[in-house]
Amino acid sequence: DVKVTQSSRYLVKRTGEKVFLECVQDMDHENMFWYRQDPGLGLRLIYFSYDVKMKEKGDIPEGYSVSREKKERFSLILESASTNQTSMYLCASSFFEKLFFGSGTQLSVL
Amino acid sequence: GIQVEQSPPDLILQEGANSTLRCNFSDSVNNLQWFHQNPWGQLINLFYIPSGTKQNGRLSATTVATERYSLLYISSSQTTDSGVYFCAFTSGTYKYIFGTGTRLKVLA
């Protein structure tokens, strides 16, 4: 079975902190994604990576950056966390276009 | 852009009942998939079904691409089926478009 692992299930941070969300997949997938999910707004794509060191902005990249130094790991970085970044963050990877999600990180920024 | 509509938005069932969830889309799509998000937030890929019919236990799915819809059937529902069901697809790019979901509650 495909496994996409997100490092934290719950995270509480303070405004202005730099936050790292880590995602690891174990199936050598080329494509990895970061989404955020908010009530009433659905899933929104933040960033996408199609290879090591390759990335593309999604629909809402402002306030975020990403890093993909190794194929299996895709990190989402909040440079200076703000309260409006409180959300559920979901990482996904795809194999022949079939998407597999991690269990999500519920981030609260106080 | 492509419009996607899922129906019904909310559904309450008694355990053992059957149900059909629908995903309509306004143009040609690729890579249509169905997901179940459980009450803890985990999204599970149920079916990759760009066309045709697939079955997995009590669940089955059908996509009629030429008529721009997909259906998810749940038979003999169980309380563990509760959660939100999403359809998603791509349209010419890597970006997946997600429907707004059907929220299902199965009562014991």
Side-chain angles (χ1 to χ4, degrees):
Chain A
D1 275 358
V2 174
K3 195 162 186 184
V4 180
T5 303
Q6 294 185 231
S7 53
S8 304
R9 184 73 182 93
Y10 298 97
L11 210 51
V12 180
K13 295 293 181 181
R14 296 245 176 241
T15 302
E17 278 193 76
K18 190 169 186 176
V19 181
F20 293 85
L21 302 183
E22 306 287 346
C23 176
V24 178
Q25 49 97 357
D26 67 353
M27 289 299 290
D28 204 37
H29 291 176
E30 301 288 340
N31 301 328
M32 296 187 75
F33 307 79
W34 274 106
Y35 291 88
R36 63 177 282 178
Q37 185 178 27
D38 301 286
L41 296 176
L43 277 88
R44 294 181 290 169
L45 180 65
I46 305 171
Y47 267 97
F48 159 67
S49 170
Y50 52 92
D51 203 348
V52 174
K53 296 190 189 295
M54 307 304 287
K55 62 188 179 187
E56 284 197 23
K57 294 180 180 179
D59 298 317
I60 50 164
E62 297 78 20
Y64 303 95
S65 62
V66 290
S67 171
R68 193 158 180 210
E69 296 296 319
K70 294 185 177 181
K71 194 173 188 180
E72 67 269 20
R73 186 179 297 269
F74 191 35
S75 303
L76 180 69
I77 304 154
L78 286 66
E79 297 290 343
S80 177
S82 64
T83 54
N84 62 13
Q85 292 178 309
T86 290
S87 185
M88 169 70 91
Y89 289 86
L90 293 156
C91 174
S93 67
S94 71
F95 177 69
F96 286 108
E97 316 316 326
K98 187 173 179 180
L99 266 184
F100 299 91
F101 280 90
S103 54
T105 296
Q106 180 63 52
L107 172 67
S108 297
V109 182
L110 306 179
Chain B
I2 290 188
Q3 304 300 309
V4 55
E5 182 181 10
Q6 287 189 244
S7 60
D10 295 280
L11 187 57
I12 300 175
L13 297 175
Q14 206 64 41
E15 201 167 27
N18 302 327
S19 62
T20 301
L21 282 55
R22 189 176 181 104
C23 174
N24 289 335
F25 35 92
S26 59
D27 205 341
S28 300
V29 301
N30 302 308
N31 305 309
L32 192 134
Q33 305 172 52
W34 283 94
F35 296 89
H36 173 221
Q37 188 168 35
N38 65 26
W40 296 272
Q42 171 84 58
L43 272 156
I44 305 295
N45 194 308
L46 299 174
F47 292 102
Y48 177 81
I49 185 145
S51 64
T53 297
K54 289 186 178 178
Q55 179 152 10
N56 185 1
R58 297 180 296 102
L59 303 181
S60 64
T62 295
T63 295
V64 184
T66 53
E67 297 188 21
R68 299 178 184 168
Y69 72 87
S70 184
L71 303 174
L72 178 70
Y73 307 95
I74 305 173
S75 64
S76 304
S77 58
Q78 300 175 358
T79 55
T80 52
D81 295 331
S82 296
V84 184
Y85 290 82
F86 294 98
C87 64
F89 48 80
T90 60
S91 176
T93 74
Y94 60 85
K95 287 169 67 171
Y96 288 82
I97 298 166
F98 285 80
T100 51
T102 291
R103 187 173 300 274
L104 173 65
K105 189 172 178 70
V106 181
L107 304 176

